[in-house]
Amino acid sequence: AWLPWCLALSLGMDALPVAIALRRDRESWTGLGRIFWMRIIYRPLLALAVWAALSRALTGKWLHWKKPEKHAPVRLPKKI
């Protein structure tokens, strides 16, 4: 039963500085609604990307790019 309270407290702690900034700048309050989506979608994806990059850096694995395959011969223009 404590999970909803933690989620509400966490969202409130995110919303408070944004609300203060929007009030000080006299901006539209629609920016306040973006906090929920950032908390649910953006931040977990960002954390996943950071942890994946740190894991690759610590294990020494590099990302190997494949060379594009050539399917047609290269034709140079004739000199006149």
Side-chain angles (χ1 to χ4, degrees):
W2 56 271
L3 186 61
W5 290 102
C6 290
L7 181 60
L9 179 65
S10 175
L11 285 173
M13 287 172 50
D14 278 348
L16 185 63
V18 174
I20 292 170
L22 291 174
R23 172 95 172 140
R24 286 186 66 193
D25 293 342
R26 294 186 179 106
E27 293 286 333
S28 171
W29 288 93
T30 57
L32 203 56
R34 294 183 188 141
I35 292 174
F36 178 74
W37 298 111
M38 289 209 39
R39 169 68 72 174
I40 300 300
I41 296 172
Y42 175 72
R43 286 188 182 164
L45 286 176
L46 180 64
L48 179 67
V50 168
W51 282 112
L54 286 174
S55 168
R56 284 190 174 268
L58 292 175
T59 57
K61 293 181 183 175
W62 288 96
L63 183 63
H64 297 286
W65 296 96
K66 294 181 182 178
K67 290 185 178 181
E69 296 178 14
K70 295 179 183 176
H71 295 288
V74 177
R75 296 183 183 169
L76 298 175
K78 294 181 182 178
K79 293 184 181 180
I80 300 178

